[in-house]
């Protein structure tokens, strides 16, 4: 597996690509793509990093595995490409956003894109709901505003959840989280569910960053995610430190 990653991330993570664990991981992933059906397609393995350069990260959402069904995974946790049915967890995320921010979807319009002083996009998200109220599960607009949608494991064998766990991806994404924590200030980390919360332990400096924890948005969590108000809290924190809030919808 050749590593083609956005330049600012290549600089931040350059040491990792030469370490034995990553070389073993790269060989494993290469062989899996050659012999099995693996998601996401190779061009999307580092899609989250391409859409959200290191210098532009403002919020981090942690997921676990890519989706295991054809056409769903495209390198961003919780997100699916346009035209794919919105997954149940993302439907619950949307519901919480609307309730939290008091939004009327019918009034949402696509806004013109603006940029902050670093040249990173801060708005211009094509709404997750079209002007006609039709949902889209594509979260690339969040990524373009500085929301890193990071899965702990970046690849998976089709139909087999967890099949690429414990091969080295978790070590790599631990380094990603720690690099962000150590080298940036005033980020927001959204940790939903036990897995994400355990992964963040010991990696994030909570004196420098805001860490928000809640139940997983999956329907299997019995609705405990609802009422967390993470989206309004995130925007309030960003505004406190002179950052433009995220246009979640």
């Amino acid at each position: 597996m050749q590593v083609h990653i956005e330049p600012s991330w290549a600089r931040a993570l350059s040491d990792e690509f030469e370490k034995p664990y990553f070389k073993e991981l790269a060989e494993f992933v290469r062989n899996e793509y050659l012999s099995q059906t693996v998601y996401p397609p190779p061009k999307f393995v580092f899609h989250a990093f391409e859409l959200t350069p290191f210098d532009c990260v403002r919020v981090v959402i942690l997921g676990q595995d890519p989706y295991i069904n054809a056409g769903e995974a495209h390198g961003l946790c919780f997100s699916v490409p346009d035209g794919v049915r919105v997954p149940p967890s993302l439907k619950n995320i949307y519901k919480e956003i609307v309730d939290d921010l008091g939004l009327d979807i019918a009034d949402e319009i696509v806004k013109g894109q603006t940029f902050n002083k670093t040249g990173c996009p801060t708005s211009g998200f094509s709404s997750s709901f079209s002007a006609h109220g039709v949902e889209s599960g594509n979260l690339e607009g969040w990524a373009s505003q500085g929301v890193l949608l990071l899965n702990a494991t970046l690849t998976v064998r089709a139909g087999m959840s967890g099949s690429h766990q414990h091969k080295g991806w978790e070590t790599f994404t631990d380094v990603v989280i720690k690099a962000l924590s150590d080298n940036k200030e005033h980020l927001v980390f959204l940790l939903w569910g036990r897995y994400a919360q355990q992964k963040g332990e010991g990696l994030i400096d909570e004196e420098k960053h805001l860490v928000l924890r809640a139940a997983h948005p999956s329907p299997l969590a019995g609705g405990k995610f609802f009422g967390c108000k993470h989206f309004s809290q995130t925007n309030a924190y960003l505004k406190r430190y002179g950052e433009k809030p995220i246009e979640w919808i």
Side-chain angles (χ1 to χ4, degrees):
M1 180 185 68
Q2 291 184 319
V3 178
H4 299 289
I5 196 167
E6 190 276 333
S8 67
W9 281 108
R11 291 190 296 272
L13 304 173
S14 59
D15 292 344
E16 292 306 299
F17 304 128
E18 298 304 318
K19 291 183 177 179
Y21 89 86
F22 194 89
K23 291 182 178 181
E24 293 176 8
L25 168 65
E27 182 66 13
F28 166 78
V29 171
R30 186 182 75 85
N31 288 334
E32 283 285 285
Y33 273 108
L34 290 174
S35 63
Q36 306 291 334
T37 300
V38 174
Y39 301 132
K43 66 180 181 179
F44 289 130
V45 172
F46 295 106
H47 195 41
F49 302 90
E50 297 296 331
L51 295 182
T52 314
F54 185 87
D55 296 337
C56 296
V57 176
R58 302 191 291 149
V59 179
V60 181
I61 299 178
L62 291 183
Q64 189 167 350
D65 278 346
Y67 293 119
I68 61 173
N69 297 318
E72 294 183 346
H74 67 146
L76 309 177
C77 71
F78 294 105
S79 179
V80 292
D82 290 325
V84 176
R85 191 177 75 163
V86 179
S89 291
L90 185 53
K91 285 186 177 181
N92 284 345
I93 291 170
Y94 285 163
K95 183 179 187 303
E96 175 61 20
I97 291 171
V98 172
D99 292 346
D100 182 14
L101 302 182
L103 298 176
D104 181 352
I105 296 304
D107 292 337
E108 288 300 306
I109 61 173
V110 177
K111 302 175 177 65
Q113 192 171 72
T114 60
F115 294 81
N116 65 18
K117 61 185 178 182
T118 67
C120 301
T122 59
S123 69
F125 178 31
S126 296
S127 175
S128 298
F129 297 79
S130 75
H132 303 290
V134 178
E135 296 183 26
S136 167
N138 192 333
L139 301 181
E140 290 179 343
W142 290 8
S144 73
Q145 296 179 76
V147 181
L148 181 66
L149 296 163
L150 180 67
N151 276 317
T153 302
L154 301 189
T155 55
V156 70
R157 191 182 291 187
M160 297 179 62
S161 296
S163 51
H164 286 190
Q165 291 179 3
H166 311 301
K167 302 296 183 181
W169 280 130
E170 294 93 339
T171 300
F172 177 74
T173 50
D174 281 356
V175 171
V176 169
I177 295 166
K178 194 167 190 313
L180 288 167
S181 177
D182 289 351
N183 294 289
K184 297 177 74 72
E185 292 184 343
H186 310 314
L187 300 181
V188 182
F189 290 84
L190 303 182
L191 308 182
W192 299 333
R194 183 180 302 173
Y195 182 91
Q197 291 163 21
Q198 289 178 342
K199 184 171 179 64
E201 288 180 3
L203 299 176
I204 304 167
D205 184 345
E206 298 194 36
E207 293 187 2
K208 292 173 58 182
H209 309 288
L210 176 64
V211 179
L212 298 175
R213 299 173 175 87
H216 196 279
S218 167
L220 298 177
K224 294 179 182 178
F225 176 74
F226 297 129
C228 69
K229 298 189 178 299
H230 281 186
F231 306 97
S232 60
Q233 290 183 69
T234 294
N235 282 350
Y237 184 83
L238 293 174
K239 287 192 287 186
R240 186 186 314 160
Y241 290 101
E243 291 281 347
K244 188 172 177 121
I246 304 297
E247 291 180 14
W248 296 109
I249 295 292

